[in-house]
Amino acid sequence: MKRADKHWETYGKEDPYYWVTTQEKFKGDISESEKLDTFFNEADQYREKLFQIIRNRLDKNFNPKRVLDYGCGVGRILIPMAKHCEEAVGTDISQPMLDKAELHAEELGYKHVKLALSDDSLSRIEGKFDFIHSIYVFQHIPIQRGMIILERLLRRLNPGGVAMIQMTYSNDMSKHRQFLDWMKMNFPLFLELNNLIHLRKPDTPIMEMHNYPMNRVEELLHKMDIAHKYTRYTKDGPFRGVMLFIQVSSNEEQYVTLPEIP
């Protein structure tokens, strides 16, 4: 199991609702509390805004029947999407988080929700999709690995299908802070000491953050059957990122033809 995967396995066992949002109000086990309704209702509002952006910018008739949430965690986005499609598939590297997602789907009677443990080849995921979603996931995956996964995900889109992939590309952290994070990722004893100083369990893993070179992302999209792309910028603390709304071509006309320069 890769380092990042091990970390998310730990997050899934300890405070899974917090780690998929990093919001203090969702710390602890909220599965039996009123906070759970807020947890999913806020996600449904996000889903509605997301779908509206796609209808406004890419496809006015967007109404996906089969959707995939890559890095679904406990199902925060997956469960609301299931209300509006015929089949909702969620995948994650953390089995404890998938177990929570399965429990919530069963409680709501959503038999059309399918869950699969993730791997880099997407071997447990079948077929293609009208919509593929991933937020706050790629930023935790090392770049070389993430680029391979991104291409494999996009190849799972139906003609005319849409993906929304969020990733970070830079941060505003000082050189000192970046050096400390590098030390924590590469020297376990340093991480343990830092955890003790901050009154955390010694084996609490660091949440990896990776900044993707957008020129490589654009090059990949250009090589594939991408008809349209719309970008929204994000900022979460010091981390700057993008939400890439990507639509696969539904015909052979992939590129815009420029007129001859007079």
Side-chain angles (χ1 to χ4, degrees):
M1 184 182 287
K2 296 179 176 66
R3 181 175 63 184
D5 298 8
K6 289 180 181 178
H7 291 175
W8 282 98
E9 186 77 7
T10 300
Y11 296 143
K13 293 175 182 176
E14 302 176 5
D15 248 348
Y17 300 95
Y18 167 74
W19 285 113
V20 299
T21 64
T22 62
Q23 295 183 40
E24 292 290 328
K25 64 183 178 182
F26 296 129
K27 273 199 167 185
D29 185 3
I30 66 168
S31 58
E32 301 296 331
S33 72
E34 293 180 358
K35 291 182 179 179
L36 188 64
D37 289 337
T38 302
F39 183 81
F40 285 118
N41 287 338
E42 288 181 356
D44 196 22
Q45 294 171 18
Y46 160 80
R47 179 214 54 81
E48 179 56 35
K49 291 178 181 177
L50 204 67
F51 281 21
Q52 195 57 54
I53 290 172
I54 295 171
R55 289 169 185 146
N56 290 342
R57 298 287 181 171
L58 297 177
D59 183 357
K60 65 180 180 180
N61 298 315
F62 182 71
N63 187 30
K65 293 182 179 179
R66 192 165 192 257
V67 305
L68 170 67
D69 190 17
Y70 180 77
C72 67
V74 298
R76 191 183 193 205
I77 310 299
L78 182 69
I79 297 298
M81 286 200 297
K83 296 180 182 179
H84 305 275
C85 68
E86 296 178 5
E87 184 175 40
V89 179
T91 185
D92 201 279
I93 56 175
S94 172
Q95 186 61 54
M97 287 198 177
L98 287 176
D99 292 341
K100 289 282 189 183
E102 183 176 27
L103 176 64
H104 295 314
E106 288 178 352
E107 289 173 342
L108 293 168
Y110 287 171
K111 295 182 179 180
H112 60 299
V113 170
K114 311 295 182 185
L115 296 160
L117 190 64
S118 182
D119 58 44
D120 291 4
S121 61
L122 310 179
S123 64
R124 299 180 180 89
I125 299 172
E126 298 179 356
K128 294 196 173 187
F129 300 87
D130 305 309
F131 180 53
I132 294 176
H133 172 271
S134 182
I135 191 168
Y136 303 140
V137 177
F138 275 86
Q139 60 198 39
H140 304 305
I141 303 174
I143 296 165
Q144 193 63 32
R145 183 183 176 195
M147 292 298 295
I148 294 171
I149 295 171
L150 175 60
E151 180 174 357
R152 288 172 176 166
L153 281 173
L154 295 179
R155 293 195 184 281
R156 292 300 189 100
L157 282 172
N158 284 319
V162 175
M164 196 300 291
I165 308 293
Q166 181 268 342
M167 55 181 57
T168 54
Y169 65 88
S170 71
N171 67 67
D172 299 334
M173 292 192 301
S174 66
K175 296 291 184 181
H176 176 71
R177 169 71 185 279
Q178 293 183 51
F179 175 73
L180 290 178
D181 281 356
W182 181 84
M183 290 285 290
K184 286 185 281 187
M185 281 198 297
N186 291 281
F187 296 94
L189 288 177
F190 185 85
L191 176 60
E192 289 181 16
L193 177 61
N194 184 78
N195 284 333
L196 290 171
I197 291 172
H198 291 87
L199 304 179
R200 293 190 290 259
K201 293 181 180 179
D203 59 349
T204 301
I206 183 174
M207 184 174 284
E208 293 186 26
M209 293 294 293
H210 300 277
N211 297 323
Y212 280 70
M214 296 312 297
N215 60 324
R216 286 186 60 187
V217 175
E218 292 289 354
E219 183 180 11
L220 172 62
L221 299 183
H222 205 247
K223 288 179 178 178
M224 302 183 70
D225 293 331
I226 303 304
H228 306 286
K229 177 174 69 69
Y230 172 66
T231 302
R232 294 285 290 266
Y233 290 98
T234 65
K235 193 170 187 301
D236 184 13
F239 302 104
R240 297 180 183 273
V242 289
M243 298 172 72
L244 300 174
F245 294 82
I246 304 160
Q247 184 176 34
V248 170
S249 176
S250 58
N251 54 51
E252 296 180 357
E253 293 184 5
Q254 179 180 352
Y255 303 116
V256 174
T257 302
L258 298 177
E260 290 185 9
I261 300 175

